[in-house]
Amino acid sequence: MRSSLPTTRETDSMANKTEDLALDRAQVKKAVQALQAFLKTKSTPDSKLLADTQHVCLLFTLWKVPKLAQSIRIPLPHGQRTDTDEICLFTRDEPNMTSDQTQRFYKKLLEERGVKNVTEIIPFKVLKTEYKPHEAKRRLLGNYDLFLSDDRIRRLLPSHLGKHFYERKKEPLCVNLQSKQLSRDVQSVIQGSYLKVTNKGSCCMARIAHSGMTADEITDNIEAAVKTVLTKLRTKGPVVKIIHIKSEATAALPIYTSDLSHLTLLEDAQRGAKARKVKRAANKVKETETAPMNAEETAPMNAEDEDEIPQLVPIESPSKKPKREANGQMTQKSKKSYGKKAGKPLAQNRKRKMPKAK
């Protein structure tokens, strides 16, 4: 009879169907408007004068901790950075050029390709020499909002930047400076976002907007980010538990909460696994019961064989004789060994008793 419990393949397909997460746009927009209203009440006259904006982030809470770490690139329909953001670019050292010549070379290249957002260019040699002290690295970290790097030197940067860049999540984003569509690639990296999924916890956060954007623009970015994250996550089945929207200094507002329907699927899968284990254990018990019966049938034959046991006779090893040379005389080494075996030194064996004179 076919078991009524679902197989693992069926549960995976059912889980994937339930993971088609659909956000309620009206509810998301209400949450965005509430967040913007709260930020306006907390703003000071100085921040209004300076047009200071705060980051708007998406906080994902997963059902379980991922097995592998992952970095997801999120393209956004509306740029999340303002024109006042300071952007720094790390480039490689061009051969047969000084640091100043390399800096002018890449500055001219960006102008020709239409890239206008980069405010500072730092060659790799300058980074190694001028920003080697700890205080210089801290100053560099605070002077810029975003860091880009040539993809040809990305493996060399971590040892020269230090841990503070990665603790504050300001590690450089890679850009292919040899691309034919450099302006589009740089713009997508600057205005896009990244989500770092770690294997050390079940929460991860990505910046998707700023408080100066309209509610519709922030809502569009939220929908695009959620769709991208769900398609690029490497885990199977239902993954996202709760999604919050928050800023740097506000509480998190939930915009999506997963239902518990997938828990029944997991329970069914566990029941199926238990049923398979019980069946395997029953098969093992049957095999162990049949094994003694076979041993009893073969017992008389084994008894007859045990009566006739051949006796082993020790074989004497041949005695070693001293080696002789080609002329038939023993070597000096063999004489010494032969004398030792006799129990007396060879010199004593050579002595003969001379008759006494009368």
Side-chain angles (χ1 to χ4, degrees), residues 93-128:
D93 298 323
E94 290 296 326
N96 302 325
M97 286 189 185
T98 62
S99 299
D100 295 336
Q101 291 175 347
T102 302
Q103 190 174 7
R104 288 194 295 268
F105 171 76
Y106 281 104
K107 191 173 182 180
K108 184 178 179 181
L109 176 65
L110 295 179
E111 289 177 357
E112 291 177 353
R113 300 293 179 87
V115 180
K116 301 178 181 179
N117 298 342
V118 178
T119 55
E120 183 66 24
I121 297 174
I122 298 178
F124 184 63
K125 187 176 181 180
V126 175
L127 177 66
K128 291 190 295 183

Side-chain angles (χ1 to χ4, degrees), residues 108-354:
K108 184 178 179 181
L109 176 65
L110 295 179
E111 289 177 357
E112 291 177 353
R113 300 293 179 87
V115 180
K116 301 178 181 179
N117 298 342
V118 178
T119 55
E120 183 66 24
I121 297 174
I122 298 178
F124 184 63
K125 187 176 181 180
V126 175
L127 177 66
K128 291 190 295 183
T129 56
E130 297 184 9
Y131 294 95
K132 188 175 182 179
H134 180 71
E135 292 299 327
K137 294 178 182 178
R138 295 288 294 272
R139 235 179 2 256
L140 176 66
L141 180 62
N143 289 340
Y144 300 97
D145 300 304
L146 178 67
F147 293 92
L148 304 177
S149 70
D150 190 347
D151 58 355
R152 293 170 289 183
I153 62 169
R154 59 176 180 148
R155 298 182 181 276
L156 305 175
L157 292 177
S159 59
H160 296 281
L161 291 177
K163 63 180 181 179
H164 298 286
F165 278 78
Y166 298 90
E167 287 178 353
R168 295 182 59 179
K169 298 181 180 180
K170 277 191 172 183
E171 62 271 19
L173 305 178
C174 295
V175 177
N176 183 12
L177 296 179
Q178 296 177 326
S179 175
K180 295 181 179 179
Q181 298 178 344
L182 183 60
S183 178
R184 187 195 67 181
D185 295 344
V186 172
Q187 196 69 17
S188 64
V189 172
I190 292 174
Q191 299 300 343
S193 181
Y194 273 83
L195 177 68
K196 284 204 166 184
V197 182
T198 65
N199 55 355
K200 299 180 181 179
S202 60
C203 295
C204 48
M205 188 166 60
R207 174 183 169 183
I208 49 92
H210 60 83
S211 58
M213 299 170 64
T214 62
D216 291 328
E217 290 176 346
I218 297 176
T219 305
D220 293 340
N221 285 359
I222 290 173
E223 291 179 343
V226 170
K227 185 177 180 181
T228 303
V229 170
L230 290 179
T231 54
K232 291 186 177 181
L233 275 175
R234 294 175 184 170
T235 54
K236 294 182 180 180
V239 180
V240 179
K241 183 178 181 181
I242 306 174
I243 302 176
H244 292 87
I245 180 175
K246 68 183 298 293
S247 69
E248 296 175 345
T250 62
L253 301 177
I255 59 174
Y256 170 80
T257 302
S258 176
D259 55 4
L260 302 179
S261 61
H262 77 284
L263 294 180
T264 58
L265 301 176
L266 297 177
E267 291 176 359
D268 293 340
Q270 292 176 357
R271 290 174 186 172
K274 289 181 180 180
R276 288 191 293 272
K277 287 182 180 179
V278 170
K279 190 175 180 180
R280 290 174 186 171
N283 293 335
K284 287 183 179 180
V285 170
K286 290 181 180 180
E287 290 177 359
T288 54
E289 289 178 354
T290 56
M293 296 296 294
N294 297 332
E296 292 176 359
E297 293 176 357
T298 57
M301 297 177 63
N302 294 336
E304 294 177 359
D305 295 339
E306 289 177 358
D307 294 339
E308 299 178 358
I309 299 176
Q311 295 182 357
L312 300 177
V313 179
I315 301 174
E316 296 181 357
S317 58
S319 58
K320 296 182 179 179
K321 295 182 179 180
K323 296 181 181 180
R324 295 180 179 274
E325 294 180 348
N327 55 2
Q329 297 180 356
M330 291 189 296
T331 60
Q332 189 69 20
K333 185 176 180 181
S334 61
K335 287 179 181 180
K336 290 181 180 180
S337 60
Y338 186 76
K340 289 180 181 179
K341 288 181 181 178
K344 295 181 180 180
L346 189 62
Q348 293 180 4
N349 293 337
R350 287 181 178 178
K351 291 181 181 180
R352 294 181 180 177
K353 291 182 179 181
M354 299 294 293

